[in-house]
Amino acid sequence: MIIDIVGAGALGLLYGGKLLMAGNQVRFWTRTTAQADLLAQEGVTIVERDGEMHILPDQIQAKPISEFADTWKNTPGEWVLLMVKQTGIDDFIRAISPLQDHMLNIACFQNGMGHMEKLQTALPKSLLCSAITTEGAKREQGRVTRAGAGETRLGRYNIHIVDSTFIEEKGTSTLAGSLEQAGFDCTVSNEIDKLIYRKLLINAVINPLTALWRIPNGELLITEERKRLMRQLYDEVWLVYSERGICLDLDMWDQLVSVCRSTATNTSSMLADVLAGRGTEVGSINGHIVRMARELGLAAPTHEILIQLIEGMQPEGVN
Ligand code: PAF
């Protein structure tokens, strides 16, 4: 199967590298030519608990995203794994605009919300699927270290309309099968909306606080003051979700606390962005909660303040 990995960060290289080693033809797409050249010169080493996997330079196909549309028209791939952050979605949309009349299969791995609608408008004929993952990885130059085996759940994006539902479902399970074969715990979920809202809540609490306090996820739990603010953010989301009829598990607070524990040493993705001086996903995470609240005539004041605090740090970040 030809699989296009858009975004060669830690997770992109982890998924792409393992899919390649499992016998798929993988094409990596980077933002710049220099990034593609470096990847193709150095190769990648994937480090897991039970050993290392070396992907040699001559096994790597890497190109800048500006060449994606022409390459895909000549040799279409079966699946695109879109692994850029929310902040990279507009660049991707610009790059694939010549493909608006084609049908691509795209699995979207972003945190936050709002990107699926944008992508569907830009690529009306394409099949989109949401991917929710608890995989984590760290990248240091050419070495990508897997944090431990997580879970990946795929689900069809439900606004999409194509005549044959059967073909769509089959397509998503084909990708799930390839990911399983490559060593990921991946299944198709019929509860993907619930998983998306669960992840949104987790990100809306953990990410901005860790980014502001510059702490790993586990340190959110070490003082009562920190936990109180987490709870305040959580309660605002819970109210919005209840009014919208979004039902999560009743022990969701405990689940949130256990995510902090199981990812205790992680640098959250928002903290990583702030430290690197990059734009963050706060607008698609906490911003989405605020927009949902407003639509219902409610407010999410703590989320609003956090958005301003995080956005006030950009663009130069913190070091
Ligand atoms: O965005 C992140 O960093 C992750 O989704 C999570 C779950 C907060 C763990 O770091």
Side-chain angles (χ1 to χ4, degrees):
M1 167 141 97
I2 301 182
I3 300 177
D4 290 295
I5 304 280
V6 177
L11 271 191
L13 292 174
L14 174 70
Y15 278 82
K18 286 177 69 68
L19 282 162
L20 197 157
M21 293 316 257
N24 296 284
Q25 185 186 334
V26 174
R27 303 184 289 212
F28 291 98
W29 300 94
T30 57
R31 199 166 42 81
T32 64
T33 309
Q35 288 166 332
D37 290 348
L38 192 69
L39 193 58
Q41 269 160 30
E42 292 189 338
V44 181
T45 298
I46 294 181
V47 184
E48 296 186 79
R49 269 190 204 140
D50 54 359
E52 292 190 359
M53 223 180 236
H54 301 284
I55 304 165
L56 303 173
D58 62 6
Q59 293 176 287
I60 300 231
Q61 288 184 58
K63 285 188 186 168
I65 192 69
S66 51
E67 293 178 28
F68 183 90
D70 284 345
T71 307
W72 199 94
K73 270 186 198 162
N74 288 333
T75 317
E78 264 102 325
W79 273 93
V80 177
L81 269 53
L82 182 57
M83 312 207 68
V84 295
K85 290 195 172 167
Q86 285 278 355
T87 42
I89 291 289
D90 290 340
D91 285 345
F92 174 69
I93 287 179
R94 260 191 298 279
I96 45 89
S97 60
L99 297 174
Q100 60 178 349
D101 291 327
H102 294 258
M103 192 191 137
L104 286 77
N105 291 311
I106 308 179
C108 306
F109 281 76
Q110 289 62 40
N111 280 334
M113 292 180 98
H115 55 295
M116 302 301 278
E117 292 81 353
K118 275 191 189 176
L119 287 164
Q120 194 68 88
T121 309
L123 293 168
K125 302 212 166 127
S126 288
L127 157 67
L128 302 184
C129 108
S130 297
I132 298 290
T133 184
T134 54
E135 289 288 344
K138 253 195 193 140
R139 180 184 182 183
E140 276 146 348
Q141 272 113 30
R143 282 175 80 79
V144 174
T145 307
R146 190 179 188 182
E151 292 174 353
T152 305
R153 298 290 169 258
L154 303 177
R156 193 164 60 84
Y157 175 56
N158 55 7
I159 295 176
H160 187 51
I161 305 152
V162 169
D163 325 325
S164 171
T165 316
F166 173 69
I167 289 173
E168 294 185 21
E169 295 304 342
K170 197 168 150 245
T172 311
S173 36
T174 308
L175 176 63
S178 299
L179 285 167
E180 274 278 321
Q181 246 175 26
F184 295 96
D185 172 350
C186 181
T187 49
V188 177
S189 169
N190 50 15
E191 287 202 306
I192 197 75
D193 287 346
K194 181 173 162 187
L195 297 179
I196 292 170
Y197 283 114
R198 178 182 182 276
K199 181 95 191 278
L200 181 68
L201 184 152
I202 291 170
N203 289 139
V205 176
I206 297 181
N207 293 23
L209 294 181
T210 49
L212 279 170
W213 291 327
R214 282 175 266 162
I215 53 173
N217 298 351
E219 288 188 24
L220 285 172
L221 304 176
I222 65 177
T223 71
E224 283 312 309
E225 287 77 11
R226 289 179 186 175
K227 278 199 272 183
R228 212 174 300 127
L229 196 49
M230 284 175 73
R231 186 72 208 202
Q232 208 166 306
L233 287 166
Y234 173 92
D235 286 342
E236 286 179 13
V237 178
W238 195 262
L239 179 65
V240 171
Y241 280 9
S242 308
E243 291 295 311
R244 270 283 288 264
I246 299 164
C247 300
L248 298 187
D249 297 339
L250 291 175
D251 68 347
M252 193 55 225
W253 171 256
D254 297 332
Q255 292 184 29
L256 173 62
V257 168
S258 61
V259 171
C260 292
R261 292 211 176 99
S262 62
T263 62
T265 55
N266 276 30
T267 299
S268 77
S269 50
M270 201 176 289
L271 173 57
D273 285 339
V274 165
L275 292 174
R278 291 188 292 257
T280 72
E281 298 179 310
V282 75
S284 327
I285 298 176
N286 303 83
H288 195 80
I289 302 291
V290 169
R291 284 189 291 278
M292 280 170 85
R294 287 194 188 138
E295 278 165 26
L296 293 160
L298 299 170
T302 322
H303 291 268
E304 286 190 38
I305 294 281
L306 282 184
I307 294 168
Q308 293 175 49
L309 289 170
I310 297 284
E311 287 184 340
M313 289 181 184
Q314 294 165 8
E316 68 282 2
V318 180
N319 51 46

